Structures are given as C-alpha cells and as structure tokens.
Amino acid sequence: MHPAGLAAAAAAGTPRLRKWPSKRRIPVSQPGMADPHQLFDDTSSAQSRGYGAQRAPGGLGYPAASATPQAAFLADPVSNMAMAYGSSLAAQGKELVDKNIDRFIPVTKLKYYFAVDTMYVGRKLGLLFFPYLHQDWEVQYQQDTPVAPRFDVNAPDLYIPAMAFITYVLVAGLALGTQDRFSPDLLGLQASSALAWLTLEVVAILLSLYLVTVNTDLTTIDLVAFLGYKYVGMIGGVLMGLLFGKIGYYLVLGWCCVAIFVFMIRTLRLKILAEAAAEGVPVRGARNQLRMYLTMAVAAAQPLLMYWLTFHLVR
C-alpha cells in the first residue's frame, strides 16, 4: 500500500485531541494600584467621593498641594513681626488721638450741647417765640456743673440752631424755586453767607469781651448756640411770606425780631452783667456801662441780620 494511504488510514482511525486555552491567574489589583493593562488612570472614583475631597500630600498619582500665598506670608516670621509692630503703632496712634482730640474738637463738650429731648425742644421753641412769659432765666447747676439742656430750658444747646440752619437753607431753596430763581450756586451762596455772618458775629463778640475785659463763663460754643436761635424766627418769617405774601412776612418776622431781642437781653445779661455784680463793680461804673452797651449791641444785631438774610426771599 502506498505510504500516503497508510497515513490517511491511521489518521482516520485515531481520534483527534482538542486543545483548550490555558488558564492563567490574573492577579487582583490592589486598592491604590493601577491596572497594568490600563492606559489611563480612572479618576471617576475620586470624583464620586465628593468634589471637596482632596488626596493626602504625597499620594499616588497626585503631587503635594502647594500652600496659598497668604499662608506662606503669615508663616514668615519677618511678616509676623511687621504685623505686630504695625498693630502696636496703630494702638499708640489711637491712644494719642483720644488724648489730644479735645484740644481741637471738644467732643465731650459737644455731647453736652446735644443732650436734648422732645420735651426740651418744644419748651425751648415756646421760649423763643414768647420770652415775655418766662420768669426764671437762671441756669441750673449741679456740683458746679450746668445740668444737661433736657433738664433746664435755660441751658444753651446746639441741636435747635443746627436743625434751624439746615431748615433755613431748605426753605430758602423753596422760596427761590417758587420765584423761578433757584440754582445750586445761589443756594450755596445763601448758606455760605449765613455762615459767614455767624462767624463774624462770634469773632466780633469775643474781641469785644476781650477789650472790655469781661470775666465770664460764656464760651464760644455758648455764643454759637445763642446766635443760632435767630434762624428759628427767620424760618417762620419766610414761610409766612410764602403763604400770605409781604404782609405775613413782615408781621411774623417783626414778632420774631422783638422776641429774639428780649431773649438775648435776658440771657446775656446773666452771662455778662452778673460777673460785674459778683466782682463788686458799681452799676453806674464805666466798665459796667460798656458791658451793658455790649449786651444791647449783640441783641440789636439779631433782628437786623434776620431781615438782611430773608428780605430777598419774599417777593
């Protein structure tokens, strides 16, 4: 038989053996170790833990987190020393300002002049319009210190003059607007002229008191308070002029002028002439006569200024 036929017969009689693929054990990946067959790192698991989660410094696959510039600045000992030195300087400066601020701005005294309440304001306005009905003009004292204005209607205050000045400027703007003459420049001129006259009054009175050699407890703030009360009457005159014309203006302004004249006479008399009586100066002495003339001049200047600052606002 041909050898090829023998080989075919042998192959037909012998069963074929099937080769199965060999099974290899693949090592299970440990936590934190990447799959050797994975080309890219899977970061989805880290994101699923939370957006704010951060890996510890030196973790696998992540560099250590760098410190912020603020933390690095605060960690510098030189910066800490500079901050401590700056804080000490600021504390010393605040203490120095608190000690010397009264030399330039008497904050403590200003608090006294604004210690008012609604009852005091109502009584003081009644006193300014009707000073003829008031009898006791003495300022009350407690342990050589004048009581707060809210406890004594005769005590001077800065609340009414300040509010009256602001209201006067607003009423002046209203009067100019009704006459089609309003402009910011004209309103500013009105306010600045009123302040200029007030400053001139204070300087003139202080100079007169110095020349007459009057020893009085009348301070500069007292003068500003007393001279600022005339704005109340000016407001009343301008408002009546807007409502009733020239007749209402002259009637109300005339009443307020007489009222402020009487108020200033009875108030300044106790401040200026009382010191002369305490010093034993004769009533008809030359120095006492000068003090009387000074009191009369200050009181007479108030109606003149009231008219001068308001007559052009009423047409």
Side-chain angles (χ1 to χ4, degrees):
M1 185 176 292
H2 197 272
L6 293 175
T14 304
R16 294 183 179 180
L17 297 176
R18 186 177 181 180
K19 295 183 179 181
W20 294 91
S22 61
K23 296 182 179 180
R24 292 185 302 172
R25 297 185 64 183
I26 300 176
V28 181
S29 60
Q30 299 294 332
M33 298 181 61
D35 190 354
H37 299 284
Q38 187 175 355
L39 297 179
F40 303 98
D41 293 337
D42 186 10
T43 59
S44 61
S45 60
Q47 295 178 357
S48 63
R49 296 190 189 101
Y51 292 99
Q54 297 181 355
R55 288 187 178 270
L60 296 176
Y62 290 91
S66 60
T68 61
Q70 293 83 357
F73 177 78
L74 294 176
D76 189 0
V78 178
S79 301
N80 293 334
M81 185 180 300
M83 291 181 62
Y85 183 68
S87 300
S88 64
L89 284 181
Q92 293 177 3
K94 182 177 182 300
E95 183 180 358
L96 183 63
V97 169
D98 292 340
K99 288 182 179 179
N100 299 325
I101 193 172
D102 283 341
R103 295 182 181 180
F104 307 99
I105 302 176
V107 178
T108 305
K109 294 182 179 179
L110 288 178
K111 290 181 180 179
Y112 164 81
Y113 289 95
F114 284 93
V116 300
D117 55 8
T118 307
M119 183 68 68
Y120 168 82
V121 173
R123 294 173 59 192
K124 193 72 171 188
L125 292 178
L127 180 61
L128 292 174
F129 284 106
F130 304 98
Y132 326 102
L133 306 178
H134 194 62
Q135 300 297 329
D136 185 13
W137 293 85
E138 292 284 347
V139 177
Q140 300 178 11
Y141 284 81
Q142 184 178 7
Q143 297 179 356
D144 298 334
T145 303
V147 298
R150 62 175 176 267
F151 301 117
D152 184 14
V153 70
N154 297 323
D157 72 285
L158 287 178
Y159 176 80
I160 293 179
M163 294 297 103
F165 176 80
I166 296 174
T167 307
Y168 161 71
V169 175
L170 296 177
V171 171
L174 177 63
L176 294 174
T178 56
Q179 302 168 15
D180 295 332
R181 295 189 298 135
F182 176 81
S183 67
D185 296 337
L186 189 57
L187 187 62
L189 180 62
Q190 189 74 23
S192 59
S193 62
L195 281 178
W197 279 109
L198 180 63
T199 305
L200 183 61
E201 281 185 281
V202 173
V203 173
I205 295 174
L206 291 177
L207 182 60
S208 302
L209 292 175
Y210 174 77
L211 295 177
V212 181
T213 63
V214 176
N215 297 323
T216 177
D217 59 350
L218 192 64
T219 63
T220 304
I221 304 179
D222 291 338
L223 287 176
V224 173
F226 289 132
L227 298 176
Y229 287 136
K230 64 175 171 288
Y231 295 115
V232 177
M234 294 163 58
I235 295 171
V238 175
L239 288 178
M240 291 299 103
L242 293 176
L243 295 176
F244 304 104
K246 283 285 188 178
I247 297 178
Y249 166 75
Y250 283 114
L251 287 178
V252 175
L253 186 67
W255 177 274
C256 294
C257 287
V258 176
I260 197 65
F261 179 80
V262 175
F263 174 82
M264 294 296 290
I265 287 291
R266 295 186 177 181
T267 302
L268 296 180
R269 178 173 55 87
L270 298 176
K271 295 290 186 179
I272 298 177
L273 299 179
E275 294 293 332
E279 294 173 0
V281 178
V283 177
R284 298 185 179 276
R287 291 179 57 187
N288 200 17
Q289 292 291 331
L290 290 176
R291 297 180 183 186
M292 292 179 60
Y293 293 151
L294 177 60
T295 304
M296 296 287 293
V298 173
Q302 305 310 302
L304 296 178
L305 289 174
M306 291 172 65
Y307 175 75
W308 177 257
L309 294 173
T310 56
F311 78 96
H312 60 281
L313 299 176
V314 179
R315 293 293 178 87

